[in-house]
Amino acid sequence: MRIWAPERRWWLFTIASLYFFFITAATFSSLGVVLPYMIEEYSWSWSEAGTGFSLLALLVGLAGALPAWTIRRFGIKATYLIGSVVMACGFILIAAGTGLYSFWTGASLLGVGFALCATVPGIHLITDWLSDRRSFAIGLYMTLGGLGAVAGPPAVTLIVSHTDFWRLHWWSMTAAILALTLLAGAFITKRNTGNDGADAATPLQDEKTSDKVFRTKTDWRYRDALRTPQYYVIVAALTLTLLCTLTMNSWAFTHLGMLGISAALATLALSADGAVNALSRALGGILATRIDPKWLLVAALVGELIGMLALSVADNPVALVIFAVGEGFGFGVCFLATAVLLLNYFGEKNNPELLGTMNFLTTAAMVGPVLAGYIAGRTGGFSVVFQLNAALLLIMIVFVAAMKPPKK
């Protein structure tokens, strides 16, 4: 049965969103929950285990420019398929592995696969098929992907509590990514590929935005965009927020346990954080056509700061709620606002390269989990780590608030 263009573009949007949902649930949001079980079995130190999380983040960044190249060279479908196979290999290696090096290698493969299946191909697919609803579609896409952070922690808890076998989590993720591979191979395609009229998408109008929202009227050249200070302010804001989020995902579960919070309540807090994260992306996508994304980014950094401070002393339900709302809102809106700012400031033509380069530069955030483990080993806890993150966020807020749109 042939899928006609108006329905096809939303079907492709659904597949891209399923990918983002899954890889979010299967990697960053669940690894911090399954890691204590792996540490207990293997007797790893915090720094050794945190290195695996950092390698995951590092390879996501190092491979940040890879999907832009594979999209130009092989196409959007091949990009998703290559990423899926790489992720499957990573899951299998961790599930069947016998020690630290297999975990590190598997985590690294998951990072490469994540980069190939996440925002670069997803946003490229959206701007290709849904340019008339770009901000809304990107916000909804990131929302659906963010819901993976809600599903990840309870999925691990459910599997391990019923089977007492943490490896089953990774085998389940292997089966899921292979199912998505079949969907991608069957349906993902580029718009206007020269098929007959039934398959060709109808011409789309530009998205309407408020006069208060800056949007470039020309596509910047890649090298010219890299010469602007605005590009690096946007990159720095996302990098710092990622550092906070990676550190939180790695050690919040352990930190909350040290503060006397039960595993069930800690899991609930992390899931609530993921839920707020996801809903905030939808809200940001709606507001991004009415409020300049720069101010959305400022609000996100403020939320992240409040979340970090609350997490540092989260030994009671009130602090847990403040943490979940602040950090969830902060990361969700920052993730959305930085992506939209790149499109608004520099145009669509070279967005895969600009977005991929940003993802590569945010590799610096991978030091968060390792550094946090080191500091916690010296100080006996993670509270000071989250407070230091809040201090850095305060400085970043000043730079983003002072940023002006770039001029050619």
Side-chain angles (χ1 to χ4, degrees), residues 60 97 157 160 175 177 200 223 253 258 284 316 336 340 345 354 363:
V60 170
T157 302
V160 176
I177 193 63
R223 62 186 181 184
F253 193 80
M258 294 172 68
N316 60 85
L336 181 282
V340 176
Y345 279 5
L354 291 172
T363 301

Side-chain angles (χ1 to χ4, degrees), residues 261-345:
I261 301 297
S262 68
L265 188 55
T267 300
L268 180 62
L270 292 175
S271 292
D273 173 85
V276 175
N277 179 340
L279 294 175
S280 297
R281 299 180 192 194
L283 177 64
I286 295 170
L287 295 178
T289 59
R290 299 170 177 83
I291 300 174
D292 197 291
K294 182 188 88 167
W295 296 112
L296 294 178
L297 182 55
V298 170
L301 293 171
V302 172
E304 189 73 26
L305 184 154
I306 294 172
M308 289 294 102
L309 289 177
L311 178 59
S312 70
V313 293
D315 59 356
N316 60 85
V318 174
L320 284 174
V321 171
I322 296 173
F323 149 66
V325 173
E327 203 287 326
F329 172 83
F331 181 63
V333 174
C334 178
F335 200 47
L336 181 282
T338 50
V340 176
L341 274 173
L342 287 186
L343 285 164
N344 287 1
Y345 279 5

Side-chain angles (χ1 to χ4, degrees), residues 15-37:
I15 295 175
S17 299
L18 281 173
Y19 259 100
F20 200 18
F21 171 89
F22 168 75
I23 62 178
T24 301
T27 55
F28 291 104
S29 66
S30 64
L31 181 55
V33 180
V34 74
L35 206 52
Y37 300 105

Side-chain angles (χ1 to χ4, degrees), residues 25-390:
T27 55
F28 291 104
S29 66
S30 64
L31 181 55
V33 180
V34 74
L35 206 52
Y37 300 105
M38 299 175 69
I39 292 173
E40 182 180 1
E41 178 172 324
Y42 290 120
S43 300
W44 293 336
S45 68
W46 284 350
S47 294
E48 288 173 334
T51 299
F53 210 108
S54 291
L55 284 171
L56 169 62
L58 172 64
L59 268 296
V60 170
L62 291 180
L66 182 59
W69 181 80
T70 58
I71 289 170
R72 305 295 190 200
R73 185 75 172 82
F74 304 112
I76 188 72
K77 178 187 290 190
T79 300
Y80 273 108
L81 295 179
I82 294 170
S84 300
V85 171
V86 172
M87 288 203 81
C89 292
F91 288 135
I92 292 171
L93 195 56
I94 297 176
T98 57
L100 192 61
Y101 294 110
S102 59
F103 169 56
W104 285 354
T105 305
S108 300
L109 289 175
L110 292 183
V112 176
F114 189 102
L116 286 165
C117 296
T119 54
V120 174
I123 292 177
H124 178 77
L125 201 66
I126 288 170
T127 55
D128 189 26
W129 283 88
L130 292 150
S131 61
D132 60 329
R133 305 292 303 279
R134 188 176 73 188
S135 294
F136 169 77
I138 291 175
L140 182 58
Y141 163 75
M142 291 188 170
T143 297
L144 296 173
L147 288 174
V150 183
V156 175
T157 302
L158 181 66
I159 292 172
V160 176
S161 64
H162 281 76
T163 66
D164 199 28
F165 188 54
W166 58 262
R167 295 178 191 270
L168 184 60
H169 166 72
W170 300 116
W171 287 119
S172 301
M173 298 305 101
T174 305
I177 193 63
L178 292 177
L180 282 175
T181 305
L182 296 177
L183 276 178
F187 296 107
I188 288 182
T189 184
K190 180 177 174 60
R191 181 169 170 257
N192 289 332
T193 55
N195 295 332
D196 58 68
D199 279 340
T202 56
L204 300 176
Q205 301 298 318
D206 286 338
E207 179 183 55
K208 293 181 180 179
T209 57
S210 167
D211 292 337
K212 297 179 181 179
V213 178
F214 175 84
R215 188 169 178 179
T216 183
K217 292 180 171 58
T218 58
D219 287 311
W220 284 59
R221 291 187 300 178
Y222 172 71
R223 62 186 181 184
D224 290 338
L226 292 186
R227 292 170 179 166
T228 64
Q230 289 86 346
Y231 182 80
Y232 295 100
V233 171
I234 295 169
V235 170
L238 181 59
T239 302
L240 180 55
T241 305
L242 279 172
L243 183 144
C244 295
T245 301
L246 286 172
T247 304
M248 182 276 294
N249 280 328
S250 300
W251 299 117
F253 193 80
T254 302
H255 168 65
L256 292 175
M258 294 172 68
L259 293 180
I261 301 297
S262 68
L265 188 55
T267 300
L268 180 62
L270 292 175
S271 292
D273 173 85
V276 175
N277 179 340
L279 294 175
S280 297
R281 299 180 192 194
L283 177 64
I286 295 170
L287 295 178
T289 59
R290 299 170 177 83
I291 300 174
D292 197 291
K294 182 188 88 167
W295 296 112
L296 294 178
L297 182 55
V298 170
L301 293 171
V302 172
E304 189 73 26
L305 184 154
I306 294 172
M308 289 294 102
L309 289 177
L311 178 59
S312 70
V313 293
D315 59 356
N316 60 85
V318 174
L320 284 174
V321 171
I322 296 173
F323 149 66
V325 173
E327 203 287 326
F329 172 83
F331 181 63
V333 174
C334 178
F335 200 47
L336 181 282
T338 50
V340 176
L341 274 173
L342 287 186
L343 285 164
N344 287 1
Y345 279 5
F346 305 112
E348 297 179 8
K349 183 178 179 181
N350 294 304
N351 184 253
E353 285 78 8
L354 291 172
L355 188 59
T357 301
M358 179 171 73
N359 291 340
F360 171 76
L361 295 175
T362 58
T363 301
M366 66 87 187
V367 303
V370 172
L371 187 59
Y374 174 79
I375 294 174
R378 292 282 183 172
T379 63
F382 293 91
S383 293
V384 67
V385 171
F386 299 119
Q387 291 164 3
L388 287 172
N389 288 348

